[in-house]
Amino acid sequence: MDSSNNHLVLVILLTIALVLGVKAAHLSRAIPSEEEKNEMERQLKAINKPPIKSFKTEQGEIFDCIDIHKQLAFDHHLLRNHSIQLKPTSVPKWITCHNNSQKIGPLELQLKGISCPHGTVIVKRTTIQDLIYSQHLKSIGFNIPRHVLRDGNNIDLTGHHFATADYEYDNIAGVQGNINLWDPQVSHDQVSLATMAIAGGPIIEELSSISVGWMVNSLLYKDHIHLYTYWTADGYNKTGCYDIRCPGFVQVSKRIPLGVLLQPVSIYNGTQKEMDLSLHQVITSRVSRVNVGYWPQSLFIASGLVKGADLASWGGQVYSPTTEKSPIMGSGHFPKEGFGKAAFVNNIHILNGKGEALIPQIYTIKTHESTPNCYKAKYVHDDDEPWIRAVYYGGPGGCIGK
């Protein structure tokens, strides 16, 4: 059995505070053939494990309670003998900053009327449409870290727009951020998301990365904003997927599934809502937050995240076919409007190789904007701001053919 204590863990802090290359292809052109549909049906049988109990939400989504030892993660050949770690052996002591927003709590993330038995985990059931849409997002290069795109790796950026704050140094063992919740309106095949990511690897073929945040994509999540994750261990070639649509992520929570609908959301010039997320490599000690699950170290090659990341990123990303105006990012307002009006990620921290949680120095964070006339990012580090370190990002969109 695998006795390693090094895991990349997705942890959600559930407390409450106050105020708060396929080029732009339309899915209609990507209808799978009968052979592809048959292959997807085969995949669905492998992905959706026999449930102990099942529940259907008002939105028509089905969630299953699966035996924790029989979940999809253990179909991965590298995890066949993996021993489940229900709690991290160590949780960083993240520094708590003054907060003017309301964090969504565990009861708000827990699905109403759903209670999974002891010894099970809650998993969103995957459909054939989910597989089609996931493949579509991969084909247009979604969730590839911005620094990889910038470095010219023959990845088509058509329709993609970014506004991020990035920390690029070696030996990053984890990151934290409170992501402001908004529910931007997008068209049928557009995407708008807020993300926090870590990545590492010398070349694109050996890139390892994990992204977590919220996404609005009517094709992948039907309605409104949902908690999402994405990971890869080989530069988005053969490994990785959204949420639990492939073996890899080990779910340990029986209350909070990946892909869950996030409610309530922020109100312009009113109450602000946020979700506290952290990704970190666990080394030793105990848990003090609600642990959703983790990506075992054995999934990642030595040159990837095993020895630490070299990029941490916070901010927004959108995508739109070139035939449409690009959608809203964040709240739809530029950073200069400030708190309560512009989207933000606050309480930004880095975990170093010694397991120490650090507030990044001012000179270590740089903002990047792919389309400044439509989206901007502003790094905040003044003591008189609501937080010591944060990034405002977003904009109204409206770009065409870029």
Side-chain angles (χ1 to χ4, degrees):
M1 305 292 278
D2 180 5
S3 59
S4 170
N5 285 330
N6 289 336
H7 302 292
L8 284 164
V9 179
L10 166 61
V11 178
I12 301 182
L13 176 62
L14 302 161
T15 57
I16 298 186
L18 216 288
V19 274
L20 325 201
V22 179
K23 279 190 182 179
H26 287 276
L27 288 174
S28 58
R29 303 174 188 169
I31 298 174
S33 65
E34 283 302 317
E35 183 178 349
E36 291 171 330
K37 285 182 179 179
N38 290 337
E39 171 59 20
M40 288 180 181
E41 291 290 355
R42 185 196 65 76
Q43 292 178 32
L44 286 179
K45 289 181 181 180
I47 292 172
N48 294 320
K49 302 302 181 182
I52 306 300
K53 292 177 67 176
S54 295
F55 305 87
K56 190 171 184 178
T57 68
E58 295 177 355
Q59 292 75 31
E61 297 174 319
I62 297 177
F63 290 85
D64 294 322
C65 301
I66 305 295
D67 185 323
I68 190 172
H69 298 285
K70 296 179 180 179
Q71 60 180 294
L72 177 63
F74 304 123
D75 285 0
H76 198 291
H77 69 283
L78 295 174
L79 304 182
R80 295 285 166 80
N81 297 316
H82 180 74
S83 296
I84 299 173
Q85 185 176 339
L86 293 177
K87 293 183 178 181
T89 54
S90 174
V91 174
K93 294 182 179 180
W94 303 106
I95 303 165
T96 302
C97 298
H98 173 68
N99 204 338
N100 290 329
S101 305
Q102 293 186 353
K103 295 177 185 175
I104 59 173
L107 294 179
E108 292 173 291
L109 285 174
Q110 187 171 342
L111 295 163
K112 294 181 180 179
I114 295 180
S115 178
C116 285
H118 180 72
T120 67
V121 292
I122 186 165
V123 176
K124 183 176 180 292
R125 187 179 298 181
T126 300
T127 68
I128 193 168
Q129 288 79 16
D130 292 334
L131 295 181
I132 294 172
Y133 303 149
S134 295
Q135 289 182 4
H136 173 66
L137 288 180
K138 182 177 180 180
S139 75
I140 60 176
F142 227 78
N143 281 310
I144 297 177
R146 180 212 51 77
H147 79 309
V148 176
L149 295 169
R150 182 196 66 199
D151 292 339
N153 290 287
N154 296 319
I155 298 170
D156 189 353
L157 299 182
T158 305
H160 291 264
H161 306 272
F162 303 84
T164 61
D166 303 320
Y167 177 96
E168 296 185 53
Y169 287 88
D170 293 335
N171 206 24
I172 300 170
V175 290
Q176 181 189 38
N178 299 350
I179 296 183
N180 191 206
L181 302 181
W182 294 88
D183 191 12
Q185 297 298 304
V186 301
S187 69
H188 184 65
D189 48 5
Q190 292 180 331
V191 185
S192 184
L193 62 79
T195 187
M196 179 176 73
I198 55 175
I203 58 176
I204 183 66
E205 291 78 10
E206 296 181 5
L207 175 78
S208 296
S209 76
I210 294 173
S211 302
V212 58
W214 57 255
M215 179 188 293
V216 178
N217 178 0
S218 61
L219 297 175
L220 195 61
Y221 292 115
K222 290 188 172 65
D223 60 351
H224 305 296
I225 75 168
H226 290 249
L227 172 68
Y228 93 96
T229 65
Y230 192 90
W231 71 277
T232 184
D234 64 352
Y236 304 85
N237 185 18
K238 294 181 180 179
T239 65
C241 60
Y242 288 92
D243 304 337
I244 303 183
R245 293 186 171 93
C246 68
F249 183 81
V250 179
Q251 176 85 11
V252 297
S253 174
K254 68 176 186 177
R255 297 184 298 162
I256 302 171
L258 299 184
V260 66
L261 177 68
L262 299 175
Q263 292 179 325
V265 297
S266 301
I267 299 171
Y268 180 78
N269 205 23
T271 301
Q272 299 298 295
K273 292 288 185 175
E274 63 184 50
M275 177 171 54
D276 188 341
L277 297 171
S278 64
L279 293 168
H280 58 88
Q281 280 190 294
V282 177
I283 311 240
T284 52
S285 196
R286 64 188 179 83
V287 64
S288 62
R289 290 174 168 85
V290 175
N291 182 25
V292 176
Y294 60 92
W295 293 268
Q297 183 189 41
S298 56
L299 293 172
F300 302 94
I301 61 176
S303 59
L305 296 179
V306 171
K307 295 183 179 180
D310 54 28
L311 168 80
S313 183
W314 305 263
Q317 180 180 0
V318 299
Y319 168 79
S320 179
T322 56
T323 55
E324 301 178 43
K325 292 182 179 180
S326 62
I328 286 172
M329 180 189 292
S331 68
H333 294 262
F334 286 121
K336 65 181 181 181
E337 294 195 36
F339 183 75
K341 298 177 181 179
F344 60 82
V345 185
N346 71 7
N347 202 28
I348 289 175
H349 288 83
I350 297 293
L351 189 71
N352 65 18
K354 298 178 182 179
E356 300 168 329
L358 306 174
I359 297 175
Q361 294 298 312
I362 294 172
Y363 66 87
T364 63
I365 297 284
K366 296 182 179 179
T367 57
H368 294 92
E369 304 157 337
S370 61
T371 324
N373 58 319
C374 290
Y375 313 101
K376 292 184 180 295
K378 176 185 177 184
Y379 182 49
V380 173
H381 49 77
D382 296 329
D383 292 338
D384 59 352
E385 293 286 347
W387 322 278
I388 297 175
R389 297 289 185 272
V391 57
Y392 286 108
Y393 71 92
C399 291
I400 300 178
K402 296 181 180 181

